[in-house]
Amino acid sequence: MRLRPQTILLVDDEKDIIDLLEIYLKNEGYRLLRAGNGFEALEVLRKEEIDLIILDIMMPKMDGMEACIKIREQKNMPIIMLSAKSQDMDKILGLSTGADDYVTKPFNPLELVARIKSQLRRYTRLNVPRENKEEEIEVDDLFINTSTREVKVDGRDVKLTPREFAILELLARHRGKVWSIEKIYETVWGEAFFESDNTVMVHIRKIREKIEEQPRKPKFIKTVWGVGYKVD
């Protein structure tokens, strides 16, 4: 049983947007904290236990991209980025810094609330110890503990975002099986896949950068051209 309301950190220098989100999110029973830029967000994170972050990209002093990178050095809660930029490359860049979702402005507050609930459900589920499954997975010198969310490569600690961890666990747990981009997306995100969506490829690239000695010549996550990905 949850002893405290889930806490969401709203990081945006546009007061009108923060005020609007507070109306909808407080109505859902969330506890809300505010920050006007990346520096303020990092200060809040040092003092508070946060369950999810809504992070605007364009902010003074420290923008959302830089803040996301710094947050991911220590924390793995879901991060949803907000941006007025809607181009594919902007979305790819946002996801590459460690965000779990990317929402363009202007947005429908009810849709954002639904995305927040979805992210929190998955994060909570992924962080509950699973007693009926093996907690440790080893692939050569890659070590994964699904209970503690620990990943090591040759003894070196690797920090992955929740989505990156879920993808790596999926592939490593079914070693040798080829997973299509569509199946990976539908399994990890729990949503229908759109053919033009390159989110999975972005996440695979980020995982390789973290666990592979030579990301362009991967040892663990192999590409099966025209089919998908697998862990050998």
Side-chain angles (χ1 to χ4, degrees):
M1 182 177 180
R2 176 171 288 274
L3 300 178
R4 65 174 182 86
Q6 290 176 302
T7 300
I8 297 175
L9 175 58
L10 305 175
V11 189
D12 200 315
D13 62 326
E14 296 185 51
K15 184 176 182 296
D16 291 344
I17 289 181
I18 295 284
D19 291 342
L20 175 65
L21 289 176
E22 281 198 333
I23 294 172
Y24 283 87
L25 295 175
K26 282 185 176 179
N27 190 51
E28 296 292 335
Y30 296 114
R31 173 177 175 249
L32 303 176
L33 298 174
R34 293 182 175 216
N37 57 60
F39 283 117
E40 292 180 11
L42 293 172
E43 185 63 27
V44 173
L45 284 169
R46 280 191 283 269
K47 302 175 181 177
E48 300 280 351
E49 185 175 352
I50 306 299
D51 296 289
L52 181 141
I53 300 175
I54 303 294
L55 184 62
D56 185 40
I57 291 181
M58 301 300 292
M59 294 183 294
K61 296 183 179 179
M62 181 188 291
D63 65 24
M65 296 290 189
E66 186 179 354
C68 188
I69 292 171
K70 290 185 177 297
I71 291 168
R72 282 293 179 236
E73 291 174 355
Q74 305 175 35
K75 307 287 185 179
N76 70 340
M77 79 286 284
I79 297 175
I80 299 178
M81 277 192 169
L82 298 180
S83 177
K85 299 180 178 180
S86 60
Q87 297 297 317
D88 283 347
M89 284 307 300
D90 297 314
K91 180 177 180 181
I92 291 171
L93 184 58
L95 294 171
S96 295
T97 62
D100 298 283
D101 204 351
Y102 187 101
V103 177
T104 56
K105 299 177 181 178
F107 55 85
N108 183 326
L110 292 176
E111 178 186 350
L112 181 58
V113 170
R115 288 174 179 263
I116 289 168
K117 290 181 176 179
S118 176
Q119 290 289 343
L120 287 170
R121 279 197 304 270
R122 293 191 190 102
Y123 180 69
T124 301
R125 185 178 69 244
L126 288 170
N127 282 276
V128 172
R130 290 162 293 178
E131 298 177 357
N132 296 326
K133 294 187 177 181
E134 293 182 10
E135 294 183 348
E136 296 183 356
I137 305 172
E138 291 189 52
V139 180
D140 297 329
D141 52 1
L142 171 66
F143 171 84
I144 304 168
N145 188 303
T146 60
S147 177
T148 63
R149 322 299 292 170
E150 179 183 20
V151 176
K152 290 179 179 290
V153 177
D154 196 22
R156 171 179 60 88
D157 288 324
V158 177
K159 294 185 180 299
L160 300 180
T161 68
R163 285 279 168 76
E164 290 168 356
F165 186 95
I167 292 171
L168 180 60
E169 180 189 352
L170 177 69
L171 297 177
R173 188 175 291 284
H174 301 88
R175 188 172 181 178
K177 178 179 178 179
V178 180
W179 288 78
S180 67
I181 291 175
E182 178 181 357
K183 282 297 183 183
I184 292 172
Y185 187 90
E186 292 178 349
T187 302
V188 173
W189 274 260
E191 301 171 358
F193 175 78
F194 294 96
E195 188 173 348
S196 61
D197 198 316
N198 50 19
T199 302
V200 171
M201 290 185 288
V202 172
H203 280 73
I204 292 287
R205 178 168 59 81
K206 294 302 292 183
I207 297 169
R208 281 173 169 166
E209 289 174 356
K210 294 177 180 181
I211 69 171
E212 301 283 3
E213 184 175 351
Q214 299 182 63
R216 293 183 179 277
K217 297 180 180 179
K219 172 183 176 182
F220 300 112
I221 300 180
K222 301 292 183 65
T223 300
V224 181
W225 295 106
V227 183
Y229 301 96
K230 69 174 180 177
V231 167
D232 276 336

